[in-house]
Amino acid sequence: MTEKKRQLPVWQESILLVITAMVMAVIVKTFFLQAFYIPSESMEPTMLVDDKLLVQKVSYWGGEPKRGDIVVFDDPGGWLGEEESRHATNPLQRALETVGLFPTGGHLIKRVIGVGGDEVVCCTEAGKLTVNGKTLDEPYLLEPNSPASELRFDVKVPKDHLWVMGDNRGNSADSRSHLGDPGGGFIQDKAVVGKAWLRVWPWNRSGFIHKPESFEAVNGK
């Protein structure tokens, strides 16, 4: 006669389910998706303060960030202010943040303007950025009819690095603000956590985040 399989007590099953769920959440956070929030006004009007996002990592498994991508990345060193560095404040939120179920702080979010090898220049007589001599039309900016940047620059992006800028050019401490720092304002590809993929909050503005057509000329399309 076949011996009946012994069942675990309910409390043990519950603990096992919780542990399994936590392990799965960590795997998802590490390799697939992670939650973030917008800490500042630097990406307006595309992203507003306290927007909640899902950032996907799959796109960069076999490749690097592309021009026009909105990326979340680790602080290269001294870019974050105190408010932007804040993390969850209570134990439950900190635990959820660790496994990727609560929006994470301590990172930056900007738009990729130039990748390794690109020359990014500001500005043309019309106040536009150029990438490798191609003029960018940037309708996503907070002030699209104003100059793309008040600070003039001409930079060559090193290999495996990025030049990033916020969509709110008048209120974004991005690559331009760190030209004189070690690293010259560029961030390393490996500092990128992932690409902004889906806005999940607020509900009335939820939806997928699409890359603009502005970079098609630079990409040769």
Side-chain angles (χ1 to χ4, degrees):
M1 189 172 181
T2 304
E3 184 179 348
K4 187 176 180 181
K5 187 176 180 180
R6 182 185 173 194
Q7 288 188 327
L8 292 174
V10 172
W11 67 271
Q12 288 184 355
E13 285 187 347
S14 299
I15 292 174
L16 182 60
L17 285 172
V18 169
I19 292 174
T20 301
M22 296 286 277
V23 170
M24 292 301 296
V26 170
I27 291 173
V28 169
K29 173 186 174 181
T30 302
F31 297 106
F32 298 98
L33 294 171
Q34 191 168 344
F36 290 90
Y37 69 91
I38 301 300
S40 72
E41 301 172 349
S42 69
M43 282 300 294
E44 291 184 350
T46 310
M47 309 285 181
L48 304 184
V49 174
D50 285 333
D51 278 2
K52 306 300 188 296
L53 309 176
L54 286 180
V55 170
Q56 60 96 340
K57 307 182 180 188
V58 178
S59 291
Y60 301 147
W61 281 1
E64 305 299 338
K66 305 294 191 299
R67 304 178 193 96
D69 288 354
I70 297 175
V71 295
V72 170
F73 57 96
D74 296 323
D75 185 359
W79 284 37
L80 283 173
E82 181 178 349
E83 178 63 18
E84 295 173 310
S85 301
R86 64 185 170 95
H87 289 268
T89 54
N90 67 61
L92 176 59
Q93 288 180 342
R94 284 200 296 270
L96 292 174
E97 182 181 82
T98 299
V99 298
L101 299 178
F102 187 82
T104 304
H107 295 81
L108 297 101
I109 182 166
K110 306 292 180 189
R111 190 181 298 276
V112 176
I113 303 298
V115 298
D118 286 347
E119 183 180 19
V120 185
V121 180
C122 179
C123 293
T124 66
E125 291 184 3
K128 303 287 188 180
L129 291 183
T130 65
V131 179
N132 300 333
K134 303 287 187 179
T135 301
L136 290 185
D137 182 26
E138 301 184 279
Y140 47 78
L141 298 183
L142 181 63
E143 298 180 354
N145 296 320
S146 297
S149 173
E150 294 296 333
L151 177 66
R152 304 286 166 154
F153 57 86
D154 183 342
V155 297
K156 185 69 175 288
V157 185
K159 182 182 178 181
D160 299 326
H161 286 71
L162 306 170
W163 178 265
V164 296
M165 299 174 71
D167 290 354
N168 183 358
R169 296 285 163 77
N171 189 12
S172 177
D174 47 42
S175 289
R176 298 168 298 165
S177 301
H178 300 279
L179 277 167
D181 294 355
F186 305 106
I187 66 166
Q188 296 184 32
D189 289 348
K190 65 182 181 182
V192 173
V193 175
K195 178 168 69 172
W197 176 61
L198 178 68
R199 181 187 289 106
V200 296
W201 185 263
W203 295 116
N204 63 337
R205 293 193 301 107
S206 63
F208 291 101
I209 298 162
H210 301 287
K211 183 159 61 176
E213 298 178 356
S214 306
F215 295 83
E216 287 187 359
V218 185
N219 294 332
K221 297 180 179 179

